[in-house]
Amino acid sequence: MDYKESEVGKIPVHWEIRQLSEIGEIVSGGTPNTKIEEYWNGNIPWITPKDLSGFTDRYIYSGERNITELGLENSSAKLLPRNTVLFSSRAPIGYVALAGDNLATNQGFKSIICDDKKAYPLFIYYLLKSKKNDIENIAGGSTFKEVSGKVMKEFKVQIPPLTEQKAIANILSTLDEKIETNNQINEKLEEMAQALFKHWFVDFEFPNENGEPYKSSGGEMVESVLGMIPKGWEVGKLGELVEISNKSIKPQEYPEKFFEHYSIPAFDNGRTPEIQKGEEIKSSKYVINNHMVLVSKLNPSTKRIWKPITQTNNAICSTEFIVYMAKKENILSYVFEFLNNEKFQGILTANATGSTGSRQRVKPKETLNYKVVLPPLKLMRQFSKIIEPMHLKTGSNMIENQKLKGLRDILLPKLMSGEIRVPLDDEVLSEQN
């Protein structure tokens, strides 16, 4: 295949350079008056950049809020069709998603309704992902950068023939589909694990000696400082169940070593910890392994818990985590679900200190003094034995996703530039030539 020089670099000879306005309509959004109740809580999904914070799927169907038809009519918001490419143009720049159905956005977007004769939406989605930094670099504003409609319309990109766009998008989308499927499986497994935990340890319907639900079968309940609990259970401190690992390493101790790094953005609500491969240590980190449960010290009102399933001895995590270890053998899965339960999350929230919002933190050592209900060790182990296969599956899915993401991120710029070509059949190639 022959290549040619262009305004965006070397590209295949049959690719074209087009302004974004030439391949679709660039549309801004808007916000209905928040003081008028009739404009809100309707049936039109309304997306803001915040809704895309931590959002990893390709298609988005809804955000935190909906607007009404009246709200749409009395604002600059517009109804966007399915497959519109949403691109956040401020606060921050560069979140990309596809409209999964008809929806509207606020003014923090410059969205593209693709001309289906010139542009394949899924290809444009990946193209904008690859161009995020380029677009951000030409954004205006000093305090807060923003991409104007004019800048977005005039931004030039390389566009392959439509058939090749679809072939490129299909390769990348296949990887993302598998990642999304794994995430959906993990969500279901996590829901099942939490449901069983609640059934056994909150509703006290664990199986009795006859295999019957304890409480509803007449199991004896006794009073405690934490309310009614099954006879034989105790109230103790969290420190009787777990201990905290503070084993850390500093950059100067490992100047040339690279680690698998579990990180969590300090001020980004709703984000799940990310695994960063080959991360060089640039600040102090905790050493972790697959016998530990990570809980964020930050934003306790936002559930953030992570059970690493690592396949390496070189794993570290941010010091913004509390690193818990089970004190007894074979109860790690119980410990994870206990820490993940909304009751414990509520205790964390109630005991957070500092200013409101993202700067609130939990003091790790103080958590060990929290009063908790302690079931018999045998029951905790019985529960862990049932739940452990679910945790192993979610862990293996996480590891697979990291590999898939790595492959996708390597392929993305190479496919978008034409450095790696997608095989096309002879008929398509003859049409292009």
Side-chain angles (χ1 to χ4, degrees), residues 324-357:
Y324 288 113
M325 299 184 297
K327 275 195 164 182
K328 303 288 185 180
E329 291 184 1
N330 303 322
I331 64 167
L332 182 67
S333 289
Y334 170 82
V335 167
F336 175 81
E337 296 303 334
F338 173 86
L339 297 173
N340 197 32
N341 187 259
E342 60 184 16
K343 273 197 169 184
F344 181 75
Q345 295 292 321
I347 295 174
L348 287 179
T349 302
N351 285 276
T353 58
S355 57
T356 58

Side-chain angles (χ1 to χ4, degrees), residues 229-294:
I229 61 174
K231 184 179 181 180
W233 290 31
E234 299 176 355
V235 171
K237 294 181 178 180
L238 182 64
E240 297 175 53
L241 184 67
V242 299
E243 58 186 332
I244 294 174
S245 171
N246 288 319
K247 183 179 179 182
S248 63
I249 53 178
K250 299 176 175 60
Q252 60 269 27
E253 296 172 353
Y254 295 87
E256 297 178 358
K257 276 200 173 184
F258 292 81
F259 292 78
E260 185 174 87
H261 179 201
Y262 289 74
S263 71
I264 190 164
F267 304 116
D268 196 355
N269 287 331
R271 289 291 296 276
T272 326
E274 298 171 346
I275 305 174
Q276 299 169 344
K277 293 285 187 178
E279 178 82 357
E280 185 178 5
I281 301 176
K282 297 177 181 177
S283 61
S284 295
K285 305 292 178 186
Y286 290 140
V287 180
I288 57 173
N289 59 44
N290 60 345
H291 299 295
M292 299 174 175
V293 178
L294 313 183

Side-chain angles (χ1 to χ4, degrees), residues 198-411:
K198 183 177 182 296
H199 188 63
W200 280 30
F201 301 106
V202 178
D203 300 332
F204 307 123
E205 296 290 18
F206 56 90
N208 64 15
E209 61 275 9
N210 298 318
E212 300 168 333
Y214 180 85
K215 189 175 180 180
S216 58
S217 297
E220 187 176 350
M221 303 292 289
V222 297
E223 288 187 13
S224 78
V225 294
L226 295 180
M228 301 297 289
I229 61 174
K231 184 179 181 180
W233 290 31
E234 299 176 355
V235 171
K237 294 181 178 180
L238 182 64
E240 297 175 53
L241 184 67
V242 299
E243 58 186 332
I244 294 174
S245 171
N246 288 319
K247 183 179 179 182
S248 63
I249 53 178
K250 299 176 175 60
Q252 60 269 27
E253 296 172 353
Y254 295 87
E256 297 178 358
K257 276 200 173 184
F258 292 81
F259 292 78
E260 185 174 87
H261 179 201
Y262 289 74
S263 71
I264 190 164
F267 304 116
D268 196 355
N269 287 331
R271 289 291 296 276
T272 326
E274 298 171 346
I275 305 174
Q276 299 169 344
K277 293 285 187 178
E279 178 82 357
E280 185 178 5
I281 301 176
K282 297 177 181 177
S283 61
S284 295
K285 305 292 178 186
Y286 290 140
V287 180
I288 57 173
N289 59 44
N290 60 345
H291 299 295
M292 299 174 175
V293 178
L294 313 183
V295 176
S296 175
K297 302 174 188 176
L298 296 159
N299 293 336
S301 60
T302 302
K303 184 184 288 188
R304 284 180 169 176
I305 185 165
W306 195 252
K307 178 176 181 291
I309 309 292
T310 62
Q311 293 184 330
T312 174
N313 293 322
N314 292 336
I316 57 176
C317 74
S318 164
T319 53
E320 293 293 3
F321 283 112
I322 308 171
V323 183
Y324 288 113
M325 299 184 297
K327 275 195 164 182
K328 303 288 185 180
E329 291 184 1
N330 303 322
I331 64 167
L332 182 67
S333 289
Y334 170 82
V335 167
F336 175 81
E337 296 303 334
F338 173 86
L339 297 173
N340 197 32
N341 187 259
E342 60 184 16
K343 273 197 169 184
F344 181 75
Q345 295 292 321
I347 295 174
L348 287 179
T349 302
N351 285 276
T353 58
S355 57
T356 58
S358 59
R359 288 177 175 79
Q360 285 190 316
R361 283 173 169 79
V362 172
K363 295 179 180 178
K365 287 185 180 179
E366 290 186 5
T367 66
L368 298 179
N369 294 318
Y370 294 169
K371 287 183 180 180
V372 297
V373 176
L374 298 172
L377 181 60
K378 181 180 179 182
L379 189 63
M380 289 189 280
R381 285 177 171 164
Q382 184 182 349
F383 175 82
S384 290
K385 188 175 181 180
I386 295 170
I387 297 301
E388 186 179 12
M390 298 184 189
H391 287 168
L392 291 174
K393 177 59 178 173
T394 58
S396 65
N397 283 347
M398 284 160 43
I399 290 168
E400 183 181 20
N401 278 0
Q402 291 304 314
K403 293 176 180 177
L404 292 170
K405 288 175 184 177
L407 177 58
R408 179 200 63 198
D409 293 345
I410 289 171
L411 288 176

Side-chain angles (χ1 to χ4, degrees), residues 47-77:
I47 310 299
T48 72
K50 183 182 176 183
D51 293 318
L52 295 184
S53 172
F55 186 82
T56 57
D57 290 355
R58 293 159 300 159
Y59 291 90
I60 188 166
Y61 293 86
S62 61
E64 283 188 6
R65 304 185 72 181
N66 282 11
I67 62 176
T68 62
E69 291 281 354
L70 199 60
L72 186 70
E73 292 169 5
N74 288 277
S75 72
S76 57

